[in-house]
Amino acid sequence: MATKSILVIHGPNLNLLGIREPAHYGHITLDKINTQLSRIADTADITLETYQSNAEADIVAKIQNLASNTVDFMIINPAAFTHTSVSIRDAISAVNIPFVEVHLSNVFARESFRHHSFFSDIAVGVISGLGADGYDAALRFAINRLNNAL
Ligand code: DQA
């Protein structure tokens, strides 16, 4: 059986994790999050790619370029684009790859403009407020799902 593949997409400003608003996002850096995810994926013999961009068009292009038979599952923190981006939502619908939406902070405990997501209703599930552990949980879920797929 071919090795399963998971893509993690981090949206805008997540490259600043570690220095950015630690009260909301903690002190962990994006590099540390990605390293931890890679460890989990390696142990499970899953191919993992991580990708970060501050540009909506680049994220749309990245998703458009995925052949659905090369990436089996996605984990996405669209960051600010969560609340604004119909184009990223449409790109995901076009490639039809299942995904979990992750937020470090509990968006529902914050400003009301963060309460709406353009992604949640098409996501397999949503994790919000667990900090970096949310990514780990999403990855473990994705691995279980892929390993149990028919
Ligand atoms: C975020 C929440 C968003 O509202 C915000 O714009 C972000 C990060 C989170 O991970 O908590 O940039 O997605």
Side-chain angles (χ1 to χ4, degrees):
M1 196 171 61
T3 309
K4 300 284 186 182
S5 175
I6 297 174
L7 171 65
V8 183
I9 298 179
H10 305 284
N13 300 306
L14 294 174
N15 54 312
L16 297 180
L17 287 178
I19 51 170
R20 174 193 183 205
E21 299 186 88
H24 286 306
Y25 305 118
H27 293 281
I28 194 164
T29 63
L30 192 60
D31 271 357
K32 283 206 173 119
I33 290 174
N34 287 338
T35 300
Q36 171 66 5
L37 293 176
S38 294
R39 273 199 203 110
I40 295 169
D42 284 352
T43 306
D45 204 17
I46 291 271
T47 302
L48 184 94
E49 182 189 355
T50 60
Y51 173 82
Q52 191 276 330
S53 177
N54 295 322
E56 186 173 24
D58 291 350
I59 296 174
V60 169
K62 178 76 183 171
I63 294 167
Q64 282 189 6
N65 287 334
L66 300 173
S68 52
N69 58 351
T70 59
V71 167
D72 300 288
F73 202 91
M74 297 190 290
I75 295 166
I76 305 183
N77 183 348
F81 293 144
T82 306
H83 321 296
T84 63
S85 184
V86 177
S87 64
I88 297 176
R89 175 199 170 98
D90 286 351
I92 295 174
S93 296
V95 298
N96 199 24
I97 298 171
F99 70 98
V100 168
E101 175 184 347
V102 172
H103 302 285
L104 293 144
S105 65
N106 177 357
V107 288
F108 300 102
R110 301 181 62 191
E111 304 97 320
S112 58
F113 68 83
R114 296 184 201 275
H115 298 178
H116 177 259
S117 164
F118 280 101
F119 298 86
S120 301
D121 64 307
I122 57 168
V124 176
V126 182
I127 298 173
S128 184
L130 304 188
D133 288 347
Y135 285 102
D136 296 358
L139 181 56
R140 290 183 202 284
F141 167 82
I143 290 168
N144 282 344
R145 186 177 155 126
L146 293 177
N147 284 341
N148 293 327
L150 293 176

